[in-house]
Short mmCIF file of all heavy atoms in Angstrom, two decimals:
data_model
loop_
_atom_site.label_atom_id
_atom_site.label_comp_id
_atom_site.label_asym_id
_atom_site.label_seq_id
_atom_site.Cartn_x
_atom_site.Cartn_y
_atom_site.Cartn_z
N MET Y 1 175.66 22.08 254.70
CA MET Y 1 175.81 21.11 253.58
C MET Y 1 176.82 21.62 252.55
O MET Y 1 176.76 22.79 252.16
CB MET Y 1 174.45 20.92 252.91
CG MET Y 1 174.35 19.63 252.18
SD MET Y 1 172.65 19.32 251.65
CE MET Y 1 172.71 19.83 249.96
N ALA Y 2 177.69 20.74 252.18
CA ALA Y 2 178.73 21.14 251.22
C ALA Y 2 178.10 21.34 249.83
O ALA Y 2 177.21 20.59 249.44
CB ALA Y 2 179.81 20.07 251.15
N ARG Y 3 178.57 22.35 249.18
CA ARG Y 3 178.07 22.64 247.83
C ARG Y 3 178.69 21.69 246.83
O ARG Y 3 179.90 21.46 246.88
CB ARG Y 3 178.49 24.05 247.46
CG ARG Y 3 177.31 24.98 247.35
CD ARG Y 3 177.81 26.37 247.21
NE ARG Y 3 177.12 27.06 246.14
CZ ARG Y 3 177.59 28.17 245.61
NH1 ARG Y 3 178.74 28.66 246.00
NH2 ARG Y 3 176.91 28.80 244.69
N ARG Y 4 177.86 21.16 245.98
CA ARG Y 4 178.41 20.27 244.95
C ARG Y 4 179.09 21.08 243.88
O ARG Y 4 178.55 22.08 243.43
CB ARG Y 4 177.29 19.45 244.32
CG ARG Y 4 177.12 18.12 245.00
CD ARG Y 4 176.09 17.31 244.31
NE ARG Y 4 176.70 16.45 243.29
CZ ARG Y 4 175.98 15.74 242.46
NH1 ARG Y 4 174.68 15.81 242.48
NH2 ARG Y 4 176.56 14.96 241.58
N LYS Y 5 180.24 20.60 243.52
CA LYS Y 5 180.99 21.29 242.47
C LYS Y 5 180.32 21.04 241.12
O LYS Y 5 179.88 19.92 240.85
CB LYS Y 5 182.42 20.73 242.43
CG LYS Y 5 183.47 21.81 242.46
CD LYS Y 5 184.82 21.18 242.49
CE LYS Y 5 185.82 22.03 241.79
NZ LYS Y 5 187.11 21.35 241.65
N LYS Y 6 180.21 22.07 240.34
CA LYS Y 6 179.63 21.92 239.00
C LYS Y 6 180.50 21.00 238.16
O LYS Y 6 181.72 21.15 238.17
CB LYS Y 6 179.63 23.30 238.33
CG LYS Y 6 178.25 23.87 238.14
CD LYS Y 6 178.43 25.19 237.50
CE LYS Y 6 177.33 25.52 236.56
NZ LYS Y 6 177.59 26.79 235.91
N PRO Y 7 179.92 20.08 237.42
CA PRO Y 7 180.77 19.24 236.57
C PRO Y 7 181.40 20.08 235.47
O PRO Y 7 180.74 20.91 234.87
CB PRO Y 7 179.81 18.21 236.00
CG PRO Y 7 178.45 18.76 236.19
CD PRO Y 7 178.51 19.76 237.30
N GLN Y 8 182.65 19.86 235.26
CA GLN Y 8 183.37 20.59 234.22
C GLN Y 8 183.47 19.70 233.00
O GLN Y 8 183.54 18.50 233.13
CB GLN Y 8 184.78 20.91 234.72
CG GLN Y 8 184.79 21.77 235.96
CD GLN Y 8 185.22 23.18 235.64
OE1 GLN Y 8 186.15 23.38 234.89
NE2 GLN Y 8 184.55 24.14 236.22
N LYS Y 9 183.45 20.33 231.86
CA LYS Y 9 183.56 19.56 230.64
C LYS Y 9 184.68 20.08 229.78
O LYS Y 9 185.06 21.25 229.89
CB LYS Y 9 182.25 19.65 229.85
CG LYS Y 9 181.11 18.99 230.55
CD LYS Y 9 179.85 19.13 229.77
CE LYS Y 9 178.70 18.50 230.51
NZ LYS Y 9 177.44 18.65 229.82
N LYS Y 10 185.17 19.22 228.94
CA LYS Y 10 186.18 19.67 227.98
C LYS Y 10 186.08 18.82 226.71
O LYS Y 10 185.49 17.74 226.72
CB LYS Y 10 187.57 19.61 228.59
CG LYS Y 10 188.07 18.21 228.86
CD LYS Y 10 189.53 18.27 229.25
CE LYS Y 10 190.15 16.89 229.22
NZ LYS Y 10 191.58 16.90 229.35
N ILE Y 11 186.69 19.33 225.66
CA ILE Y 11 186.73 18.58 224.42
C ILE Y 11 187.96 17.67 224.47
O ILE Y 11 189.07 18.12 224.75
CB ILE Y 11 186.87 19.52 223.19
CG1 ILE Y 11 185.73 20.54 223.14
CG2 ILE Y 11 186.96 18.71 221.90
CD1 ILE Y 11 184.38 19.99 222.78
N GLU Y 12 187.72 16.42 224.23
CA GLU Y 12 188.81 15.45 224.26
C GLU Y 12 189.12 14.98 222.84
O GLU Y 12 188.21 14.73 222.05
CB GLU Y 12 188.43 14.26 225.12
CG GLU Y 12 189.62 13.34 225.36
CD GLU Y 12 189.29 12.26 226.36
OE1 GLU Y 12 188.38 11.46 226.08
OE2 GLU Y 12 189.92 12.21 227.41
N VAL Y 13 190.38 14.85 222.54
CA VAL Y 13 190.84 14.40 221.22
C VAL Y 13 191.27 12.95 221.32
O VAL Y 13 192.08 12.59 222.17
CB VAL Y 13 192.07 15.22 220.73
CG1 VAL Y 13 192.38 14.89 219.28
CG2 VAL Y 13 191.89 16.70 220.95
N ASP Y 14 190.73 12.12 220.44
CA ASP Y 14 191.20 10.75 220.35
C ASP Y 14 192.37 10.74 219.37
O ASP Y 14 192.20 10.87 218.16
CB ASP Y 14 190.06 9.85 219.84
CG ASP Y 14 190.47 8.38 219.76
OD1 ASP Y 14 191.68 8.10 219.62
OD2 ASP Y 14 189.59 7.53 219.81
N ARG Y 15 193.54 10.65 219.88
CA ARG Y 15 194.75 10.80 219.06
C ARG Y 15 194.91 9.66 218.06
O ARG Y 15 195.63 9.78 217.08
CB ARG Y 15 195.99 10.91 219.94
CG ARG Y 15 195.92 12.09 220.87
CD ARG Y 15 197.28 12.63 221.23
NE ARG Y 15 197.17 13.70 222.21
CZ ARG Y 15 196.88 14.94 221.90
NH1 ARG Y 15 196.68 15.30 220.66
NH2 ARG Y 15 196.79 15.87 222.84
N PHE Y 16 194.25 8.54 218.31
CA PHE Y 16 194.35 7.43 217.36
C PHE Y 16 193.44 7.65 216.16
O PHE Y 16 193.68 7.13 215.09
CB PHE Y 16 194.02 6.10 218.06
CG PHE Y 16 195.03 5.73 219.10
CD1 PHE Y 16 194.76 5.91 220.44
CD2 PHE Y 16 196.27 5.23 218.72
CE1 PHE Y 16 195.71 5.58 221.40
CE2 PHE Y 16 197.23 4.91 219.68
CZ PHE Y 16 196.95 5.09 221.02
N ARG Y 17 192.38 8.42 216.36
CA ARG Y 17 191.46 8.70 215.26
C ARG Y 17 191.85 9.95 214.49
O ARG Y 17 191.57 10.05 213.30
CB ARG Y 17 190.05 8.90 215.80
CG ARG Y 17 189.35 7.62 216.14
CD ARG Y 17 187.96 7.93 216.70
NE ARG Y 17 187.23 6.72 216.98
CZ ARG Y 17 186.25 6.27 216.21
NH1 ARG Y 17 185.88 6.92 215.15
NH2 ARG Y 17 185.63 5.16 216.52
N CYS Y 18 192.43 10.92 215.15
CA CYS Y 18 192.70 12.22 214.52
C CYS Y 18 193.68 12.09 213.36
O CYS Y 18 194.74 11.48 213.48
CB CYS Y 18 193.25 13.19 215.56
SG CYS Y 18 193.70 14.78 214.86
N ALA Y 19 193.28 12.66 212.23
CA ALA Y 19 194.12 12.61 211.02
C ALA Y 19 194.85 13.94 210.80
O ALA Y 19 195.47 14.13 209.76
CB ALA Y 19 193.25 12.29 209.82
N TYR Y 20 194.72 14.85 211.76
CA TYR Y 20 195.40 16.16 211.70
C TYR Y 20 195.06 16.92 210.42
O TYR Y 20 195.91 17.53 209.81
CB TYR Y 20 196.93 15.99 211.85
CG TYR Y 20 197.28 15.02 212.96
CD1 TYR Y 20 197.78 13.76 212.68
CD2 TYR Y 20 197.04 15.37 214.30
CE1 TYR Y 20 198.05 12.86 213.70
CE2 TYR Y 20 197.30 14.47 215.31
CZ TYR Y 20 197.81 13.23 215.01
OH TYR Y 20 198.06 12.33 216.01
N CYS Y 21 193.78 16.86 210.08
CA CYS Y 21 193.34 17.50 208.83
C CYS Y 21 193.13 19.00 209.01
O CYS Y 21 193.10 19.73 208.03
CB CYS Y 21 192.06 16.84 208.34
SG CYS Y 21 190.65 17.20 209.41
N GLY Y 22 192.90 19.43 210.24
CA GLY Y 22 192.73 20.86 210.48
C GLY Y 22 191.30 21.37 210.33
O GLY Y 22 191.05 22.56 210.51
N ALA Y 23 190.35 20.48 210.02
CA ALA Y 23 188.96 20.93 209.85
C ALA Y 23 188.41 21.55 211.13
O ALA Y 23 187.67 22.54 211.08
CB ALA Y 23 188.10 19.75 209.42
N CYS Y 24 188.78 21.00 212.24
CA CYS Y 24 188.27 21.53 213.52
C CYS Y 24 188.88 22.90 213.83
O CYS Y 24 188.22 23.75 214.43
CB CYS Y 24 188.59 20.54 214.65
SG CYS Y 24 190.33 20.15 214.78
N VAL Y 25 190.09 23.11 213.40
CA VAL Y 25 190.75 24.41 213.62
C VAL Y 25 190.07 25.47 212.75
O VAL Y 25 189.78 26.58 213.20
CB VAL Y 25 192.26 24.32 213.32
CG1 VAL Y 25 192.94 25.68 213.49
CG2 VAL Y 25 192.93 23.28 214.21
N ALA Y 26 189.78 25.09 211.50
CA ALA Y 26 189.16 26.04 210.57
C ALA Y 26 187.78 26.47 211.04
O ALA Y 26 187.37 27.61 210.82
CB ALA Y 26 189.07 25.39 209.18
N VAL Y 27 187.08 25.58 211.72
CA VAL Y 27 185.69 25.87 212.09
C VAL Y 27 185.57 26.60 213.44
O VAL Y 27 184.54 27.19 213.74
CB VAL Y 27 184.88 24.54 212.08
CG1 VAL Y 27 185.01 23.78 213.38
CG2 VAL Y 27 183.45 24.78 211.71
N CYS Y 28 186.61 26.57 214.24
CA CYS Y 28 186.53 27.17 215.59
C CYS Y 28 186.57 28.69 215.50
O CYS Y 28 187.55 29.27 215.07
CB CYS Y 28 187.67 26.66 216.47
SG CYS Y 28 187.57 27.35 218.14
N LYS Y 29 185.47 29.31 215.95
CA LYS Y 29 185.38 30.78 215.89
C LYS Y 29 186.12 31.43 217.05
O LYS Y 29 186.24 32.64 217.11
CB LYS Y 29 183.91 31.19 215.97
CG LYS Y 29 183.11 30.79 214.76
CD LYS Y 29 181.69 31.31 214.93
CE LYS Y 29 180.82 30.71 213.84
NZ LYS Y 29 179.53 30.28 214.38
N PHE Y 30 186.57 30.65 217.98
CA PHE Y 30 187.16 31.21 219.19
C PHE Y 30 188.68 31.02 219.25
O PHE Y 30 189.30 31.31 220.27
CB PHE Y 30 186.49 30.58 220.41
CG PHE Y 30 185.00 30.75 220.39
CD1 PHE Y 30 184.18 29.77 219.86
CD2 PHE Y 30 184.42 31.92 220.86
CE1 PHE Y 30 182.80 29.94 219.80
CE2 PHE Y 30 183.04 32.10 220.82
CZ PHE Y 30 182.23 31.12 220.28
N ASN Y 31 189.24 30.54 218.16
CA ASN Y 31 190.67 30.26 218.11
C ASN Y 31 191.13 29.45 219.32
O ASN Y 31 192.15 29.73 219.93
CB ASN Y 31 191.48 31.56 218.03
CG ASN Y 31 191.27 32.27 216.71
OD1 ASN Y 31 191.12 31.64 215.67
ND2 ASN Y 31 191.21 33.58 216.76
N ALA Y 32 190.32 28.47 219.66
CA ALA Y 32 190.59 27.71 220.87
C ALA Y 32 191.36 26.42 220.61
O ALA Y 32 191.70 25.71 221.54
CB ALA Y 32 189.28 27.38 221.58
N ASN Y 33 191.60 26.14 219.34
CA ASN Y 33 192.36 24.92 219.04
C ASN Y 33 193.40 25.20 217.96
O ASN Y 33 193.28 26.15 217.19
CB ASN Y 33 191.43 23.77 218.65
CG ASN Y 33 190.48 24.14 217.54
OD1 ASN Y 33 190.62 25.16 216.91
ND2 ASN Y 33 189.48 23.32 217.32
N GLU Y 34 194.39 24.35 217.96
CA GLU Y 34 195.54 24.62 217.09
C GLU Y 34 196.26 23.30 216.82
O GLU Y 34 196.38 22.46 217.72
CB GLU Y 34 196.48 25.57 217.84
CG GLU Y 34 197.63 26.09 217.05
CD GLU Y 34 198.59 26.92 217.92
OE1 GLU Y 34 198.34 27.06 219.13
OE2 GLU Y 34 199.58 27.38 217.38
N LEU Y 35 196.69 23.12 215.58
CA LEU Y 35 197.52 21.95 215.30
C LEU Y 35 198.97 22.32 215.56
O LEU Y 35 199.51 23.23 214.94
CB LEU Y 35 197.36 21.51 213.84
CG LEU Y 35 196.16 20.62 213.51
CD1 LEU Y 35 196.05 20.42 212.02
CD2 LEU Y 35 196.24 19.28 214.22
N VAL Y 36 199.57 21.65 216.50
CA VAL Y 36 200.98 21.89 216.82
C VAL Y 36 201.73 20.63 216.40
O VAL Y 36 201.59 19.58 217.02
CB VAL Y 36 201.17 22.17 218.32
CG1 VAL Y 36 202.64 22.42 218.64
CG2 VAL Y 36 200.34 23.37 218.75
N GLU Y 37 202.46 20.77 215.32
CA GLU Y 37 203.10 19.62 214.69
C GLU Y 37 202.05 18.53 214.46
O GLU Y 37 201.12 18.76 213.70
CB GLU Y 37 204.30 19.15 215.53
CG GLU Y 37 205.39 20.22 215.50
CD GLU Y 37 206.59 19.89 216.35
OE1 GLU Y 37 206.69 18.77 216.86
OE2 GLU Y 37 207.44 20.77 216.49
N THR Y 38 202.12 17.41 215.12
CA THR Y 38 201.11 16.37 214.87
C THR Y 38 200.15 16.21 216.05
O THR Y 38 199.56 15.15 216.24
CB THR Y 38 201.78 15.03 214.56
OG1 THR Y 38 202.65 14.72 215.64
CG2 THR Y 38 202.54 15.06 213.26
N PHE Y 39 199.96 17.28 216.80
CA PHE Y 39 199.01 17.20 217.90
C PHE Y 39 197.97 18.29 217.77
O PHE Y 39 198.29 19.43 217.43
CB PHE Y 39 199.71 17.36 219.26
CG PHE Y 39 200.57 16.20 219.61
CD1 PHE Y 39 201.94 16.30 219.55
CD2 PHE Y 39 199.99 14.99 220.00
CE1 PHE Y 39 202.74 15.21 219.86
CE2 PHE Y 39 200.79 13.91 220.32
CZ PHE Y 39 202.17 14.01 220.25
N LEU Y 40 196.74 17.95 218.04
CA LEU Y 40 195.71 18.97 218.15
C LEU Y 40 195.65 19.40 219.60
O LEU Y 40 195.44 18.59 220.50
CB LEU Y 40 194.35 18.42 217.71
CG LEU Y 40 193.22 19.44 217.88
CD1 LEU Y 40 193.38 20.59 216.90
CD2 LEU Y 40 191.87 18.79 217.73
N VAL Y 41 195.87 20.67 219.82
CA VAL Y 41 195.87 21.21 221.18
C VAL Y 41 194.64 22.08 221.35
O VAL Y 41 194.37 22.95 220.52
CB VAL Y 41 197.15 22.05 221.43
CG1 VAL Y 41 197.15 22.62 222.84
CG2 VAL Y 41 198.39 21.20 221.20
N ILE Y 42 193.89 21.84 222.41
CA ILE Y 42 192.70 22.65 222.69
C ILE Y 42 192.95 23.48 223.94
O ILE Y 42 193.32 22.95 224.98
CB ILE Y 42 191.46 21.76 222.84
CG1 ILE Y 42 191.19 21.04 221.51
CG2 ILE Y 42 190.24 22.60 223.26
CD1 ILE Y 42 190.09 20.04 221.53
N ASP Y 43 192.75 24.77 223.79
CA ASP Y 43 192.94 25.69 224.91
C ASP Y 43 191.64 25.73 225.71
O ASP Y 43 190.65 26.31 225.28
CB ASP Y 43 193.31 27.08 224.36
CG ASP Y 43 193.60 28.08 225.47
OD1 ASP Y 43 193.21 27.82 226.62
OD2 ASP Y 43 194.22 29.10 225.16
N GLU Y 44 191.66 25.10 226.84
CA GLU Y 44 190.43 24.98 227.64
C GLU Y 44 189.93 26.34 228.15
O GLU Y 44 188.76 26.49 228.43
CB GLU Y 44 190.66 24.04 228.82
CG GLU Y 44 190.75 22.59 228.37
CD GLU Y 44 191.26 21.66 229.44
OE1 GLU Y 44 190.99 21.92 230.63
OE2 GLU Y 44 191.95 20.69 229.09
N GLU Y 45 190.82 27.29 228.27
CA GLU Y 45 190.42 28.64 228.73
C GLU Y 45 189.59 29.34 227.66
O GLU Y 45 188.68 30.10 227.97
CB GLU Y 45 191.67 29.48 229.02
CG GLU Y 45 192.55 28.94 230.11
CD GLU Y 45 191.96 29.18 231.50
OE1 GLU Y 45 191.52 30.30 231.76
OE2 GLU Y 45 191.93 28.21 232.29
N GLU Y 46 189.93 29.10 226.41
CA GLU Y 46 189.26 29.78 225.30
C GLU Y 46 188.06 29.01 224.78
O GLU Y 46 187.14 29.59 224.20
CB GLU Y 46 190.24 29.99 224.13
CG GLU Y 46 191.44 30.87 224.47
CD GLU Y 46 191.04 32.29 224.85
OE1 GLU Y 46 190.08 32.81 224.27
OE2 GLU Y 46 191.68 32.84 225.75
N CYS Y 47 188.07 27.71 224.97
CA CYS Y 47 187.01 26.88 224.40
C CYS Y 47 185.67 27.15 225.07
O CYS Y 47 185.56 27.14 226.30
CB CYS Y 47 187.39 25.40 224.55
SG CYS Y 47 186.11 24.29 223.96
N THR Y 48 184.64 27.37 224.25
CA THR Y 48 183.30 27.65 224.76
C THR Y 48 182.41 26.41 224.72
O THR Y 48 181.22 26.50 225.03
CB THR Y 48 182.64 28.75 223.93
OG1 THR Y 48 182.52 28.27 222.59
CG2 THR Y 48 183.46 30.03 223.92
N LEU Y 49 182.98 25.30 224.33
CA LEU Y 49 182.23 24.04 224.19
C LEU Y 49 181.07 24.18 223.21
O LEU Y 49 179.99 23.63 223.41
CB LEU Y 49 181.73 23.54 225.56
CG LEU Y 49 182.82 23.11 226.54
CD1 LEU Y 49 182.24 22.92 227.93
CD2 LEU Y 49 183.50 21.83 226.10
N CYS Y 50 181.30 24.94 222.16
CA CYS Y 50 180.23 25.19 221.18
C CYS Y 50 179.96 23.96 220.32
O CYS Y 50 178.93 23.86 219.67
CB CYS Y 50 180.61 26.37 220.29
SG CYS Y 50 181.92 26.00 219.11
N MET Y 51 180.88 23.03 220.32
CA MET Y 51 180.74 21.74 219.62
C MET Y 51 180.91 21.81 218.10
O MET Y 51 180.74 20.79 217.43
CB MET Y 51 179.38 21.08 219.91
CG MET Y 51 179.02 21.11 221.35
SD MET Y 51 178.96 19.46 222.00
CE MET Y 51 178.43 19.78 223.65
N SER Y 52 181.21 22.95 217.57
CA SER Y 52 181.40 23.07 216.11
C SER Y 52 182.47 22.11 215.63
O SER Y 52 182.34 21.49 214.57
CB SER Y 52 181.80 24.48 215.74
OG SER Y 52 180.81 25.37 216.13
N CYS Y 53 183.54 22.00 216.38
CA CYS Y 53 184.65 21.14 215.95
C CYS Y 53 184.24 19.67 215.96
O CYS Y 53 184.66 18.90 215.10
CB CYS Y 53 185.87 21.36 216.83
SG CYS Y 53 185.57 21.12 218.59
N ILE Y 54 183.41 19.29 216.91
CA ILE Y 54 182.95 17.90 216.97
C ILE Y 54 182.17 17.57 215.71
O ILE Y 54 182.37 16.53 215.09
CB ILE Y 54 182.08 17.66 218.23
CG1 ILE Y 54 182.93 17.82 219.48
CG2 ILE Y 54 181.43 16.28 218.19
CD1 ILE Y 54 182.17 17.64 220.78
N LYS Y 55 181.30 18.50 215.31
CA LYS Y 55 180.49 18.28 214.11
C LYS Y 55 181.34 18.29 212.85
O LYS Y 55 181.04 17.61 211.88
CB LYS Y 55 179.41 19.36 214.02
CG LYS Y 55 178.36 19.22 215.08
CD LYS Y 55 177.35 20.35 214.98
CE LYS Y 55 176.63 20.53 216.30
NZ LYS Y 55 176.17 21.91 216.50
N ALA Y 56 182.41 19.07 212.86
CA ALA Y 56 183.24 19.22 211.66
C ALA Y 56 184.23 18.08 211.46
O ALA Y 56 184.72 17.88 210.36
CB ALA Y 56 184.00 20.54 211.73
N CYS Y 57 184.51 17.34 212.50
CA CYS Y 57 185.56 16.32 212.41
C CYS Y 57 185.12 15.12 211.58
O CYS Y 57 184.19 14.41 211.96
CB CYS Y 57 185.98 15.87 213.81
SG CYS Y 57 187.23 14.58 213.74
N PRO Y 58 185.80 14.86 210.46
CA PRO Y 58 185.41 13.72 209.62
C PRO Y 58 185.80 12.38 210.23
O PRO Y 58 185.30 11.34 209.81
CB PRO Y 58 186.17 13.98 208.32
CG PRO Y 58 187.36 14.78 208.71
CD PRO Y 58 186.94 15.61 209.89
N MET Y 59 186.69 12.42 211.20
CA MET Y 59 187.19 11.17 211.78
C MET Y 59 186.48 10.81 213.10
O MET Y 59 186.82 9.81 213.73
CB MET Y 59 188.70 11.29 212.05
CG MET Y 59 189.53 11.66 210.85
SD MET Y 59 189.36 10.49 209.49
CE MET Y 59 190.29 9.11 210.14
N ARG Y 60 185.55 11.64 213.52
CA ARG Y 60 184.88 11.45 214.82
C ARG Y 60 185.91 11.30 215.94
O ARG Y 60 185.81 10.41 216.79
CB ARG Y 60 183.95 10.24 214.80
CG ARG Y 60 182.80 10.42 213.84
CD ARG Y 60 181.98 9.16 213.73
NE ARG Y 60 180.81 9.36 212.91
CZ ARG Y 60 179.57 9.38 213.38
NH1 ARG Y 60 179.34 9.23 214.65
NH2 ARG Y 60 178.56 9.56 212.57
N ALA Y 61 186.88 12.17 215.89
CA ALA Y 61 187.97 12.09 216.86
C ALA Y 61 187.75 12.97 218.08
O ALA Y 61 188.54 12.93 219.01
CB ALA Y 61 189.28 12.48 216.18
N LEU Y 62 186.68 13.77 218.05
CA LEU Y 62 186.45 14.70 219.15
C LEU Y 62 185.18 14.35 219.90
O LEU Y 62 184.19 13.93 219.30
CB LEU Y 62 186.36 16.13 218.62
CG LEU Y 62 187.60 16.65 217.90
CD1 LEU Y 62 187.31 18.01 217.27
CD2 LEU Y 62 188.77 16.77 218.85
N ALA Y 63 185.22 14.56 221.20
CA ALA Y 63 184.03 14.30 222.02
C ALA Y 63 184.09 15.17 223.26
O ALA Y 63 185.16 15.63 223.66
CB ALA Y 63 184.00 12.84 222.42
N VAL Y 64 182.93 15.39 223.85
CA VAL Y 64 182.89 16.14 225.11
C VAL Y 64 183.12 15.15 226.24
O VAL Y 64 182.52 14.10 226.28
CB VAL Y 64 181.53 16.83 225.31
CG1 VAL Y 64 181.48 17.52 226.67
CG2 VAL Y 64 181.27 17.84 224.22
N LYS Y 65 184.01 15.55 227.12
CA LYS Y 65 184.30 14.68 228.25
C LYS Y 65 184.05 15.43 229.55
O LYS Y 65 184.42 16.61 229.67
CB LYS Y 65 185.77 14.25 228.18
CG LYS Y 65 186.13 13.16 229.15
CD LYS Y 65 187.61 12.99 229.28
CE LYS Y 65 187.91 12.07 230.45
NZ LYS Y 65 189.32 12.12 230.82
N GLU Y 66 183.41 14.78 230.49
CA GLU Y 66 183.21 15.40 231.80
C GLU Y 66 184.50 15.24 232.60
O GLU Y 66 185.13 14.19 232.57
CB GLU Y 66 182.08 14.69 232.54
CG GLU Y 66 180.76 14.82 231.85
CD GLU Y 66 179.69 15.48 232.70
OE1 GLU Y 66 179.95 15.71 233.90
OE2 GLU Y 66 178.63 15.77 232.15
N VAL Y 67 184.86 16.31 233.24
CA VAL Y 67 186.09 16.27 234.03
C VAL Y 67 185.70 16.34 235.50
O VAL Y 67 184.87 17.16 235.89
CB VAL Y 67 186.99 17.47 233.69
CG1 VAL Y 67 188.34 17.33 234.36
CG2 VAL Y 67 187.15 17.61 232.20
N ALA Y 68 186.23 15.46 236.30
CA ALA Y 68 185.88 15.42 237.72
C ALA Y 68 186.39 16.64 238.45
O ALA Y 68 187.43 17.16 238.11
CB ALA Y 68 186.45 14.16 238.35
S1 SF4 B 1 188.89 17.66 212.43
FE1 SF4 B 1 189.20 15.73 213.53
S2 SF4 B 1 190.71 14.61 212.30
FE2 SF4 B 1 190.81 16.76 211.67
S3 SF4 B 1 192.42 17.68 212.98
FE3 SF4 B 1 190.46 18.00 214.02
S4 SF4 B 1 190.27 16.26 215.44
FE4 SF4 B 1 191.82 15.73 213.93
S1 SF4 B 2 184.11 23.33 221.06
FE1 SF4 B 2 183.95 25.22 219.86
S2 SF4 B 2 185.28 26.66 220.94
FE2 SF4 B 2 185.86 24.64 221.65
S3 SF4 B 2 187.57 24.04 220.33
FE3 SF4 B 2 185.65 23.21 219.43
S4 SF4 B 2 184.99 24.74 217.95
FE4 SF4 B 2 186.49 25.73 219.30
#
């Protein structure tokens, strides 16, 4: 029987909601996100999915997304 692959998750940014305020960057203890010009970039290798940034975002622009 084939082993089922574990579902992978990542933090997804809604670019239409994000106001580039930097609150999520300030709260991330793992330096896993960064504002690059007008984009929030999340380093999936560093991100621990701790969800601190989701809670900190005033625009509700962040969410956990399952990746196939
Ligand atoms: S806290 Fe929310 S609105 Fe602010 S930069 Fe991060 S994702 Fe964008
Ligand atoms: S989920 Fe946690 S580790 Fe990942 S970017 Fe947000 S605050 Fe940083």
Side-chain angles (χ1 to χ4, degrees):
M1 202 170 100
R3 248 171 134 197
R4 267 184 92 186
K5 230 177 148 188
K6 249 179 146 183
Q8 299 253 318
K9 294 178 182 178
K10 68 171 193 170
I11 303 289
E12 189 173 61
V13 189
D14 182 334
R15 301 208 184 278
F16 294 103
R17 282 179 177 256
C18 177
Y20 316 109
C21 69
C24 56
V25 177
V27 85
C28 181
K29 293 183 190 137
F30 305 94
N31 293 324
N33 53 11
E34 187 186 1
L35 276 173
V36 180
E37 293 177 8
T38 55
F39 290 106
L40 177 68
V41 180
I42 297 174
D43 183 342
E44 287 168 32
E45 299 285 313
E46 298 298 324
C47 177
T48 62
L49 293 168
C50 73
M51 314 245 183
S52 300
C53 56
I54 294 179
K55 291 178 201 152
C57 178
M59 304 302 286
R60 295 174 175 250
L62 299 173
V64 176
K65 191 194 170 194
E66 297 239 352
V67 188

